[in-house]
Amino acid sequence: MQSAMTSVRVEMRRVLRSGLLLGMFAAFAFFGLSGPVLALYMPEILGVAAGTDQLNIQATEATPIDGVALFNQSAMQLGLILAVALAITSLTWDTRAGTSIFYRTRVQGLGAVTIPRLSVDWGIGILSYTLGLVLALGLTTWAIGEVPVRFAVVLWASSVVYLVMAMSLGFLIMTLLRRTATAIALTTVLVLVLPVLSQFEALSSWVPTNLLVPGEELSSITVPGLAAVIVMIVCTGVALLIAGKQTLKRES
Amino acid sequence: MSQEPVLRVEGITRLFSTGAGIHDITFTATSRGVTSIIGPNGAGKTVLFTVLAGLTPSDSGNIKTAPGARVAYCPDVPQFEPWLTALEVVETSCAISGIRGRIPAKEALELCGLGKVANRRVAVFSRGMLQRLGIAAALVLNPDILILDEPNSALDPIGRADIRRLIAEQKHERCILLSSHMLSEVEQLADEIVVLDEGRVVTAGSMTDLLTSGMEPIWDIRLSDPSPVDFESLRKAQPGILIEAISGTHYTATYPSFEVAAQELTRTIELLRAPLIEVVPHDRDLDAVFARLIQKEAAS
């Protein structure tokens, strides 16, 4: 327990002192404020963009759902990548011999170091997304119209589950590779390509990527949500097993 | 120093795909004192330490420690998460190990000369400061076996003196395994020596045994002024003893045996008739012994 709490403290210091926490909050806050604004002025923006007699693009007046949807689009693409990078960099200590020796020689099981740190990052990911969503809901309600509560709740639940799953995936990839830049690149490609899975009929009902476009009811996200939780548990568990069997990374 | 063994290394082999590694390493370290592992670059010292620290599994052999013995390892290039302060690093070292150390974190930093920079972030530390911090982070665990890989390599002369003093104090409290290229320092600190070359043990034994092994009854005599006595007179006064001048004030005296030297050395110094600076056995320093051992090993 003491080791776990110590790891939590170390991770909190990392995200605070490195500016990662501020960066996450700022990014999601930006998405939360820019989404509704973009939705509100979309007809004007597209009108300016079209600008020729040959091409005429029209957008309908923004609805409250549009305001929040544009926030979610940014949050679950750029924001997702940031959150995944946060989780991946929590393992940077294992990419250098010195820091790796420091931790590996002091704990019986690496779970005492890795899991608490990942948990902190999950928490920050969820908080950041929630902050962005609250700002998006607030601005949308003020500028466009009231957002249905049920829609907001379902959106929040589906997005945070997907976020945590993606972070766990990045965590597993980083554990395997122990190379920060490569892990971020690979995970980025993966999370951008994964939504394609929803196009396959055999997978469409349960694949976690359905969480990116949830229905209006909580029941619409139950099965994909459960699948995402299973993926999260498997990724974290496998990462822990692998880390325990790894020897010191010899620096090239 | 306690002769109770706290560490027995028996036939440890660890080979890498490149062919590098260690072969059949066997030695014992006592619970109090310094056992120094020395060898040329690539001899396998760090590989041995990573195996002893549990970071790398061995391919074969056994490592037996006294029941409940705690091992702490300070690598040659300690690294820490740069956003932590020195005090936080040492506190984390203790807390994450789940132990209550005997030495408080601040005291460990003071012992290693880092008391004034306890609240400074590690990101701005020099390599020497990082080395000291690595030792502090290991000491705070109150280990029974403390492994120090090149603890002085990045330190200035004052820093090296500080760490030497620290090791000299700590060797009364625990077993210290130490590797260093600075054999003059090893000579001052080590009680036992293990010499490695190409991954194998060349020789192992006490410092005294090692220094005196292969020694010949030759002495280096340094005077403050050149001797006024000619060599012919010296030869007549002490027949069978060869005295040669290396430089104006540096002479060597070769005796037929150590027994003759015990009787005649004092007289030789008197006959030279110049103020004495020092008299030491020829090539008795660890550098010369080490070179001799490695060359002998290469020739065999």
Side-chain angles (χ1 to χ4, degrees), chain A residues 33-72:
Chain A
L33 294 171
S34 62
V37 170
L38 206 62
L40 191 62
Y41 291 103
M42 188 64 77
E44 286 86 344
I45 293 167
L46 288 179
V48 166
T52 65
D53 290 336
Q54 191 183 20
L55 187 61
N56 185 10
I57 303 174
Q58 285 182 331
T60 57
E61 287 299 311
T63 66
I65 302 279
D66 293 331
V68 178
L70 278 176
F71 151 73
N72 212 52

Side-chain angles (χ1 to χ4, degrees), chain A residues 1-9 112 116, chain B residues 95:
Chain A
M1 189 66 182
Q2 188 183 3
S3 305
M5 289 313 299
T6 305
S7 297
V8 165
R9 268 196 300 274

Side-chain angles (χ1 to χ4, degrees), chain A residues 2-3 6-7 9-10 13-14 17 93 96-99 101-107 113 117 247-248 250-251, chain B residues 16 50 53 55 57 73 75 77 79-85 88-89 92-93 95-98 121 137-138 141:
Chain A
Q2 188 183 3
S3 305
T6 305
S7 297
R9 268 196 300 274
V10 170
R13 283 173 181 146
R14 179 180 85 95
R17 293 177 186 177
W93 60 265
R96 298 189 304 160
T99 41
I101 288 170
F102 181 81
Y103 287 111
R104 283 176 177 269
T105 55
R106 283 166 172 80
V107 291
V113 177
R117 296 182 77 150
T247 57
L248 205 58
R250 284 171 89 88
E251 286 174 314
Chain B
F16 297 98
T50 56
L55 291 163
Y73 175 41
V77 186
Q79 291 167 308
F80 309 98
E81 296 191 83
W83 41 79
L84 295 175
T85 64
E88 286 165 352
V89 166
T92 300
S93 171
I96 208 153
S97 309
R121 291 211 195 154
L141 302 175

Side-chain angles (χ1 to χ4, degrees), chain A residues 16 23 55 66 80 101 144 175 194 197 204 218 248:
Chain A
L16 277 165
L55 187 61
D66 293 331
L80 192 73
I101 288 170
I144 303 172
T175 303
L194 273 177
L197 289 176
S204 60
L218 268 171
L248 205 58

Side-chain angles (χ1 to χ4, degrees), chain A residues 33-246:
Chain A
L33 294 171
S34 62
V37 170
L38 206 62
L40 191 62
Y41 291 103
M42 188 64 77
E44 286 86 344
I45 293 167
L46 288 179
V48 166
T52 65
D53 290 336
Q54 191 183 20
L55 187 61
N56 185 10
I57 303 174
Q58 285 182 331
T60 57
E61 287 299 311
T63 66
I65 302 279
D66 293 331
V68 178
L70 278 176
F71 151 73
N72 212 52
Q73 205 171 52
S74 302
M76 297 313 284
Q77 287 179 355
L78 293 172
L80 192 73
I81 292 166
L82 288 175
V84 163
L86 180 68
I88 284 171
T89 53
S90 74
L91 287 173
T92 307
W93 60 265
D94 208 18
T95 64
R96 298 189 304 160
T99 41
S100 188
I101 288 170
F102 181 81
Y103 287 111
R104 283 176 177 269
T105 55
R106 283 166 172 80
V107 291
Q108 295 290 334
L110 280 177
V113 177
T114 58
I115 301 302
R117 296 182 77 150
L118 180 63
S119 304
V120 168
D121 297 334
W122 284 337
I124 290 169
I126 293 169
L127 270 173
S128 304
Y129 177 84
T130 307
L131 170 69
L133 181 62
V134 164
L135 287 172
L137 288 170
L139 190 56
T140 301
T141 303
W142 177 75
I144 303 172
E146 203 166 315
V147 180
V149 171
R150 191 175 287 170
F151 168 79
V153 168
V154 172
L155 184 68
W156 178 86
S158 62
S159 298
V160 298
V161 169
Y162 192 81
L163 195 77
V164 167
M165 183 203 74
M167 291 170 83
S168 309
L169 200 58
F171 182 76
L172 172 61
I173 291 171
M174 178 61 171
T175 303
L176 282 164
L177 298 177
R178 292 198 279 184
R179 286 180 201 279
T180 308
T182 312
I184 291 174
L186 199 59
T187 315
T188 300
V189 168
L190 210 57
V191 297
L192 290 176
V193 161
L194 273 177
V196 166
L197 289 176
S198 302
Q199 307 304 314
F200 294 97
E201 211 173 307
L203 305 172
S204 60
S205 61
W206 61 267
V207 71
T209 48
N210 284 338
L211 294 168
L212 294 170
V213 277
E216 288 186 9
E217 300 293 327
L218 268 171
S219 55
S220 68
I221 62 167
T222 307
V223 172
L226 202 60
V229 168
I230 292 169
V231 169
M232 181 203 82
I233 293 169
V234 167
C235 284
T236 313
V238 169
L240 205 56
L241 271 169
I242 291 170
K245 294 203 181 305
Q246 285 169 329

Side-chain angles (χ1 to χ4, degrees), chain B:
Chain B
M1 244 13 106
S2 169
Q3 297 305 306
E4 210 177 289
V6 73
L7 173 70
R8 276 189 221 275
V9 178
E10 295 168 354
I12 290 294
T13 297
R14 166 69 179 172
L15 298 175
F16 297 98
S17 55
T18 53
I22 50 176
H23 308 253
D24 198 28
I25 305 289
T26 296
F27 70 92
T28 303
T30 55
S31 61
R32 300 284 184 270
V34 175
T35 299
S36 189
I37 316 291
I38 64 174
N41 290 332
K45 303 184 292 294
T46 298
V47 173
L48 174 61
F49 283 169
T50 56
V51 172
L52 294 177
L55 291 163
T56 306
S58 61
D59 297 329
S60 61
N62 289 311
I63 298 170
K64 291 177 189 163
T65 56
R70 192 178 299 128
V71 180
Y73 175 41
C74 178
D76 57 344
V77 186
Q79 291 167 308
F80 309 98
E81 296 191 83
W83 41 79
L84 295 175
T85 64
L87 185 61
E88 286 165 352
V89 166
V90 179
E91 285 172 345
T92 300
S93 171
C94 208
I96 208 153
S97 309
I99 61 153
R100 196 179 293 276
R102 212 158 42 92
I103 308 172
K106 277 205 163 163
E107 194 181 316
L109 288 170
E110 292 280 356
L111 278 173
C112 295
L114 294 175
K116 288 183 183 166
V117 295
N119 294 315
R120 201 177 291 178
R121 291 211 195 154
V122 167
V124 299
F125 273 26
S126 66
R127 203 184 141 197
M129 292 165 83
L130 288 173
Q131 256 185 342
R132 290 168 185 257
L133 184 54
I135 297 172
L139 267 182
V140 82
L141 302 175
N142 193 23
D144 301 286
I145 302 167
L146 176 60
I147 304 173
L148 301 173
D149 196 350
E150 306 272 356
N152 275 342
S153 60
L155 298 178
D156 58 33
I158 295 171
R160 286 204 293 271
D162 288 341
I163 296 303
R164 263 200 316 273
R165 191 167 40 246
L166 179 66
I167 294 172
E169 286 165 13
Q170 290 298 319
K171 73 188 220 175
H172 298 283
E173 311 278 339
R174 63 195 89 252
C175 167
I176 298 178
L177 296 183
L178 168 75
S179 80
S180 179
H181 282 125
M182 296 175 198
L183 298 186
S184 55
E185 303 226 327
V186 170
E187 206 178 313
Q188 292 180 54
L189 291 169
D191 302 296
E192 301 283 324
I193 299 265
V194 177
V195 182
L196 295 186
D197 187 32
E198 292 186 358
R200 294 179 195 276
V201 175
V202 172
T203 190
S206 71
M207 175 63 77
T208 312
D209 289 343
L210 207 72
L211 288 175
T212 55
S213 72
M215 242 172 73
E216 293 176 7
I218 306 173
W219 266 255
D220 284 312
I221 302 169
R222 287 187 193 275
L223 308 173
S224 67
D225 301 311
S227 171
V229 181
D230 63 275
F231 287 113
E232 193 55 38
S233 309
L234 286 170
R235 263 197 292 274
K236 282 181 183 168
Q238 287 188 306
I241 294 166
L242 175 64
I243 298 177
E244 294 171 297
I246 307 299
S247 70
T249 56
H250 178 196
Y251 301 85
T252 61
T254 304
Y255 298 86
S257 68
F258 284 102
E259 291 72 24
V260 170
Q263 289 169 357
E264 298 293 325
L265 178 58
T266 317
R267 188 150 173 260
T268 304
I269 294 167
E270 283 172 3
L271 287 170
L272 285 169
R273 295 217 314 262
L276 179 69
I277 300 293
E278 73 169 356
V279 55
V280 292
H282 183 65
D283 270 358
R284 70 140 314 267
D285 60 87
L286 194 55
D287 281 286
V289 169
F290 177 72
R292 203 161 56 226
L293 283 167
I294 298 301
Q295 279 157 15
K296 192 171 146 191
E297 184 68 14
S300 65

